[in-house]
Amino acid sequence: MKIVKYQFQQHGDSRGELVSLEEKNDIPFKIKRVYYMYKTAEGVRRGFHAHKSLKQIMICVHGSCKVLLDNGKEKKIIYMETPYEGLYVPNNYWREMYDFSDDAVLMVLASEIYNEEDYIRDYDEFLKYVGEKK
Ligand code: T46
């Protein structure tokens, strides 16, 4: 299972840092939606689903959290704490986000607008969908 992390260019100077993300140049899909989560309560684990077609890039713009990615065969845990790093989350990957620091802001760039029908929320159904279970 290959984990793809994008390293974004930082435009730093004596004032601080700035990251700019351009569709096609920095992000491999047309960005149709941006959302972010913050003030995540202690001990909370979010996600628990896969997407049939949605592709996303997660950026922990502040604080830290962990992301578990699972393609049905393998699982990997990715530690997110760098505002200039983007984790690519392809379709057909189960994801869970957890261990959010108090100050964590997890921003997500998405290839599609919100569509509940694109979600697979049942783990057994996910395994069947990706061909890992009959
Ligand atoms: C994903 C992970 C990383 C909307 O109305 N519009 C939106 O664009 C989103 C993302 C959510 N919502 C509503 C639906 C729920 O009532 O916000 C509520 C919380 O969403 P959800 O429970 O799906 O949040 P997570 O953290 O479990 O999952 C989210 C995304 O939904 C999902 O696509 O990949 O973050």
Side-chain angles (χ1 to χ4, degrees):
M1 175 181 185
K2 193 171 166 237
I3 298 297
V4 177
K5 262 189 176 182
Y6 289 89
Q7 304 288 323
F8 305 126
Q9 189 183 355
Q10 296 177 85
H11 303 274
D13 59 28
S14 57
R15 296 169 296 176
E17 300 295 339
L18 184 153
V19 170
S20 161
L21 301 176
E22 295 182 358
E23 189 172 286
K24 303 235 172 80
N25 291 333
D26 305 287
I27 305 299
F29 50 75
K30 194 166 165 55
I31 302 162
K32 292 205 181 152
R33 179 166 54 111
V34 177
Y35 62 91
Y36 44 93
M37 50 201 86
Y38 57 100
K39 284 193 183 173
T40 307
E42 203 185 333
V44 160
R45 211 167 165 112
R46 307 187 62 122
F48 295 98
H49 57 256
H51 281 281
K52 294 175 192 163
S53 32
L54 185 73
K55 296 163 184 66
Q56 305 192 102
I57 289 200
M58 291 183 182
I59 306 164
C60 194
V61 291
H62 197 253
S64 64
C65 69
K66 287 181 189 142
V67 177
L68 177 144
L69 292 181
D70 176 351
N71 63 4
K73 290 191 184 82
E74 254 187 283
K75 294 177 201 228
K76 282 217 170 131
I77 293 167
I78 300 99
Y79 187 56
M80 308 281 294
E81 59 163 353
T82 312
Y84 54 85
E85 237 175 40
L87 173 66
Y88 182 61
V89 184
N91 56 328
N92 298 335
Y93 272 42
W94 187 265
R95 80 283 322 264
E96 294 170 23
M97 299 83 74
Y98 61 103
D99 272 2
F100 286 86
S101 63
D102 285 352
D103 56 352
V105 182
L106 182 64
M107 183 171 79
V108 185
L109 312 179
S111 66
E112 303 296 336
I113 58 167
Y114 182 72
N115 175 13
E116 185 54 41
E117 289 178 7
D118 193 61
Y119 285 72
I120 307 170
R121 295 193 181 273
D122 179 85
Y123 191 71
D124 276 347
E125 194 191 318
F126 161 69
L127 290 179
K128 283 180 199 155
Y129 192 81
V130 295
E132 293 303 320
K133 195 175 173 182
K134 294 238 156 61

